[in-house]
């Protein structure tokens, strides 16, 4: 598979995932606002049960996204430090590397 096609497919999958997440959060918020003052039937109310399920799912998404962002920033900082240390050898001059230039 062509690397360009792979990157394009990965971007498409990421865009679709973001779209679905935004749609879920938007629609769940709209449902909660619409049903905020519903005629509640007590402990066995199906609307209250659905709202509780939506809240639980949103908490799980938030926890997952929080952990992913922590992992991402940790990986990015480690990668940046490692990259900086490895590129230091490429930017040094021959004198700094103590190379003898005898002909």
């Amino acid at each position: 598979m062509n690397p360009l096609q792979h990157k394009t497919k990965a971007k498409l999958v990421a865009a679709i995932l973001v779209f679905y997440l935004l749609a879920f959060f938007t629609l769940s918020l709209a449902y909660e606002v619409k049903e905020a003052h519903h005629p509640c039937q007590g402990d066995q109310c199906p609307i209250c049960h659905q709202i509780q399920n939506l809240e639980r799912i949103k908490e799980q998404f938030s926890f997952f996204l929080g952990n992913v962002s922590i992992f991402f920033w940790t990986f990015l900082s480690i990668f940046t430090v490692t990259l900086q240390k490895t590129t230091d050898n490429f930017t040094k001059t021959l004198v700094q590397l103590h190379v003898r230039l005898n002909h």
Side-chain angles (χ1 to χ4, degrees), residues 34-41 45 47-48 51:
K34 179 182 174 275
E35 299 294 342
H37 300 292
H38 69 278
C40 188
Q41 301 170 1
C45 181
I47 296 173
C48 290
I51 291 173

Side-chain angles (χ1 to χ4, degrees), residues 20-73:
Y20 280 130
L21 284 174
L22 287 174
F24 168 75
F25 281 105
T26 304
L27 292 174
S28 66
L29 179 66
Y31 181 77
E32 288 179 23
V33 168
K34 179 182 174 275
E35 299 294 342
H37 300 292
H38 69 278
C40 188
Q41 301 170 1
D43 290 339
Q44 301 299 325
C45 181
I47 296 173
C48 290
H49 181 69
Q50 288 297 324
I51 291 173
Q52 289 172 355
N53 284 341
L54 288 172
E55 290 295 323
R56 189 170 32 250
I57 291 170
K58 285 194 285 187
E59 285 175 9
Q60 290 173 351
F61 272 132
S62 299
F63 180 74
F64 173 74
L65 292 175
N67 286 337
V68 167
S69 66
I70 289 170
F71 172 76
F72 173 75
W73 288 114

